[in-house]
Amino acid sequence: MPIPLPIVDGDSFFTGVNMRLDPGQLQPGQCAFAKNKRFVNGKAATRPGIKKMPWTNKAADAWTEKTYTAGEIVTYSGRAAIVSAATEAAITSGSGTIALSSTNAIVSNGDFASGTGWSTTAETNSNGVAIGGLGGSSQWTIGSGKATHAASSGADNLYQDIHGVLGCDYTISITVSGYSAGSIKVGIGTTATAGASTITANGTHSVATTSEGNAPQRLYIQASADFVGSVDDVSIAEGATPEKVALIGTTQIAGTSTPSDTSDDFYHQGGPASNNSTPQGSSGQIGPFFKRDSSLDPGTEPPILLYLASEDLSTLNIGWNNLGHRTYGYGSVYGTGIFRDPTGIEHLLVASGSGVFSTKESNPSRLLEPWATQAGAAITSDVEFVQCFNVVVMFRGENLEPLIMERIDEGFKSISQTSSDTTIDENDSDGTESIPNAATGLFFQNRLLVPHSRDLIAASDFLNYTRYQPVLSNFRINQGSEDDLVSLVRINNSTIACFKTNSIYIVSNIYGNLADITLDEVTREYGAVGKNSIVQVGSDVVFLSSKRGVTSLGIADNGKVSAIDVPLSDPIQPLIDRINWNYASGASAAYHNNRLYMAVPLDGATENNAILVYDYLAGGWAGYDSGNAVKVKRFVETELQGKRRLFFLSTDGFINLYDDDLEMCGFVDEVPSSTVSTNAAFGQITVEQISDEVKTRGYTAGDISQKNWKGAEIQLQTNDPSFQVKAVFDGPEEDDTTLTLDSNGNPGSKTFSRTKYDRPFDKADFAESMVNDDFFTKYRQDYSVNPTTEIDLPDGIGDDDNIGFDPDLHQHTNNKYRYRGQGRYVQFQITNTNGRAEVVGVKAEAAAGQNLTTTEI
């Protein structure tokens, strides 16, 4: 009698997670569990890492020429170097020692009390490079606290050496008066660039510029030939200091004699950054962070004493300790948001116990000062930032007045009522008050809507966020109910949803003088646990409810709103049951890149330690994310490299890039070594491997009978993995079997070698330095790159398609296993604790069990 063929079942694609149904009832492609996974293009892949970008987090102040006390930390990098020499050869040959210049860009005599410090020219800068001046003498004159320009025959330059640094960002504040014609441009290094700001009006102007050109240390104010007016005041604030500055060739700077006379010339060299170099007598990177030594008296000397260009070595100054690279958090944090200033520049705001910090891409964060004098109180509780027109309002709860910021250089201040246009029907002429204290607000239909006093909504004047009419522009949401009003969400151009803790209402017809608004009840069965747990997804609104989990409001094309009967989170109800509802009011939601993220506290946690992820493209839940880096306070979107990306503010005080491209986030999570300022590791960032897991559906092969399971094939794409596969059988007495073997042949985790080839069997090991330029040679077990190995790629070796390396390259493997087990179905639990593992396909094989059905003929 022939042996019956084995029965098989499996999946060649994966779509998401359903934890509610019995594993044997799941549809093909569904998994019973997933942690730290993404279901993309049919694969169950390890999620990207969580990255702490240096510019999004707190920056130490740049060193300035002042006295520092023990324990103070500064940055010192990207600085120019100056040396006196008769010939360029003295620099390039390495026979001279280059000393770093001052680290701070400072404008002296910025109020023009005298002519000291300022020079004028009508034609060229000190390097002989034409940046303005069409002939004739300069028409700049300095006196009576002003630099005044009269019309001339060509453009005229007013300049000063301010120790600007090549490639650094600066913000120049310049006050113009008496303007009647023409224009002025402001720049550092040159004014003849397309990006130079042009000023054509009186007032104080803020100019963002980058030091460039052949004289990056020099500030220029260039007047057009027809400019008539005065400059009353000039000041400068330092922006981004490059972490690493590329060295440029030595440039001659003319001395006091004629350009042809080099007897008293000196030479300028771009860079070197302090952390471009190696500390004298040791190895590794020096700077850009330095700490004042506690064992020495305070001093004013910079961290770097000398820089030897020929050997790329720095000498650390006595009294300073080299900290290397550091990333500091903001400490206790209370909120984050976005401010778009009148020029359209986007600033990321972080509210901390020290005040509000502002940052933007490639710039260090800075404290918006003076905090204490303008804001009047320290931040000790959560805040919310709401953009209104060209200002941002910071709501601080019902016990503190809201504050506004109109300009980033002014910081936050109290709101003063301004007059409204009372000729339009929307506004009243009397009886107005300042907008009330509140925890949140919504800018809607050119009004600021403010929920306050448990169930009231104040509507500000039309086109004026500073005041409202408490009698006519104050409406109540279901007076007498026991639940609080937590948030407002826009539905369409005239409708908002009002979320209370146990009910939801719709307010419609919000336009004109608000005389026609209507209130409709959506449900009294459930509401939202907190204001940050609500997010708009397309035309719908998704939120977290303590009674239903993650659910939504459906918005029809005609604007009708209805509650969805089946919660979105129904497939992951076992995860919803693990939420600590006593602390769920701090849950935070975001919708980005076709995914919904809901950060919640699981398993007794008091802060959000897990992120539930729903993928709208895959059409299912991806399970949840966890790890020591997952401590979500609030999600926020901002721009990075021209693309809107998702970040989150963590409860330990960091802004983290989350769930982005592998090229941006990498394979690992970044976590702080210590958040205690007195700890030696404070500011150091360590990496944590992402531990992920997926458990497949129960494979039954379409047969409900008991079967003898005996084989499996797991197809993976991996990069430096350490994975384990277990076979899990159904029933109360199931016997889980570990299928993978460790290096000793015992059940355990499986790894692959970076140097070994599977075929041919006798092929020589791969050289990890890549000196043979053979990274892409076929059949190597693993294509990850060892970060501790120095790469030594040769030049010009190999064909054009096979040069270099790809650190993200994954190897595909078919992992076949033989085992024994019995059950109605079998599942495979695949965990990985290092690198990345993408599950591509799974196949299970069994021999048919006993058939209890008898067929009679």
Side-chain angles (χ1 to χ4, degrees), residues 555-569:
I555 317 299
D557 291 340
N558 60 5
K560 184 175 178 59
V561 180
S562 60
I564 305 300
D565 291 335
V566 179
L568 183 66
S569 60

Side-chain angles (χ1 to χ4, degrees), residues 481-495:
S481 67
E482 76 286 356
D483 51 346
D484 295 333
L485 183 61
V486 297
S487 188
L488 310 176
V489 178
R490 178 187 181 278
I491 297 298
N492 56 39
N493 289 336
S494 62
T495 306

